[in-house]
């Protein structure tokens, strides 16, 4: 059974590849195809972490509350940039600007997650729990294929922490 942190790292690698592919897109059709899939994956990934990873980390991490509040704030910035991109024609200056913001915010966030939140999680989660959450992660993706029944709404970081601590 896959460990949840391995599944998360797989997604992170896919995000980096997705943004790199956008650099190589030569027309709007290509840009749209790459961006639509990437944006949806980014949005689902954030929801999955908020449903499965962070409720554990906020309770058990050494610095769980701060790491969680930071992560929710970062997810909000990424969500906002994705929503902003949807307001503009693909390939326009405003679209590239919003996509660039999503890329920058995401790169910063992945580094924090990989260097701080996930190490903290690994220190406190048993092998069994990591496998169980990995199973829930896969189920979540199955149940929310193409983002079905996910609102992709920003969450107040402090409220999220208060609700889950
Ligand atoms: Fe992540
Ligand atoms: Fe995240």
């Amino acid at each position: 059974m896959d460990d949840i942190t391995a599944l998360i790292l797989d997604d992170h690698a896919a995000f980096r590849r997705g943004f790199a592919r956008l650099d190589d897109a030569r027309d709007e059709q290509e840009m749209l195809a790459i961006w639509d899939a990437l944006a949806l994956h980014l949005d689902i990934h954030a929801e999955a972490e908020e449903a499965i990873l962070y409720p554990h980390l906020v309770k058990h991490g050494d610095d769980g509350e701060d790491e969680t509040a930071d992560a929710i704030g970062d997810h909000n910035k990424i969500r906002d940039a994705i929503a902003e991109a949807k307001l503009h024609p693909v390939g326009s200056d405003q679209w590239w600007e919003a996509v660039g913001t999503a890329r920058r915010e995401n790169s910063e966030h992945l580094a924090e997650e990989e260097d701080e939140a996930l190490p903290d999680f690994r220190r406190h989660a048993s092998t069994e729990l990591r496998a169980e959450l990995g199973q829930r992660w896969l189920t979540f993706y199955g149940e929310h294929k193409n983002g079905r029944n996910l609102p992709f709404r920003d969450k107040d970081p402090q409220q999220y922490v208060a609700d889950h601590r």
Side-chain angles (χ1 to χ4, degrees), residues 89-110:
V90 173
S92 65
D93 288 350
Q94 298 100 315
W95 182 83
W96 276 114
E97 198 177 315
V99 169
T101 301
R103 185 177 191 160
R104 216 168 31 251
E105 294 294 347
N106 183 62
S107 294
E108 267 178 42
H109 174 60
L110 297 192

Side-chain angles (χ1 to χ4, degrees):
M1 183 47 61
D2 273 318
D3 161 358
I4 186 173
T5 66
L7 294 167
I8 287 174
L9 291 179
D10 283 350
D11 277 6
H12 290 183
F15 299 153
R16 293 192 179 95
R17 275 198 306 276
F19 281 111
R21 275 191 196 118
L22 266 187
D23 299 334
D24 287 326
R26 288 296 167 253
D27 58 40
E28 280 148 30
Q29 229 178 343
E30 278 182 29
M31 288 170 202
L32 183 64
I34 296 163
W35 175 245
D36 264 2
L38 174 58
L40 179 64
H41 194 185
L42 283 164
D43 271 337
I44 296 174
H45 177 89
E47 293 281 343
E49 287 182 342
E50 289 163 5
I52 300 166
L53 174 73
Y54 285 102
H56 181 87
L57 187 71
V58 72
K59 287 191 200 71
H60 303 288
D62 291 330
D63 200 15
E65 293 195 10
D66 282 348
E67 281 158 359
T68 299
D70 271 0
I72 305 301
D74 289 351
H75 290 177
N76 288 342
K77 288 183 205 159
I78 298 163
R79 275 190 280 257
D80 291 349
I82 290 170
E84 177 69 24
K86 289 194 176 125
L87 302 175
H88 304 290
V90 173
S92 65
D93 288 350
Q94 298 100 315
W95 182 83
W96 276 114
E97 198 177 315
V99 169
T101 301
R103 185 177 191 160
R104 216 168 31 251
E105 294 294 347
N106 183 62
S107 294
E108 267 178 42
H109 174 60
L110 297 192
E112 279 188 14
E113 211 154 62
E114 290 175 13
D115 298 347
E116 294 164 28
L118 291 180
D120 197 358
F121 173 79
R122 289 189 191 99
R123 280 195 293 275
H124 298 278
S126 66
T127 312
E128 291 76 18
L129 179 72
R130 284 161 66 167
E132 182 196 317
L133 297 186
Q135 181 59 49
R136 280 185 53 201
W137 183 272
L138 294 175
T139 304
F140 186 96
Y141 269 69
E143 284 173 349
H144 299 288
K145 209 166 166 35
N146 297 321
R148 188 169 60 203
N149 296 329
L150 291 176
F152 301 146
R153 256 188 239 115
D154 285 356
K155 298 170 181 68
D156 181 84
Q158 296 310 328
Q159 190 61 49
Y160 179 94
V161 168
D163 290 345
H164 293 85
R165 65 155 68 104

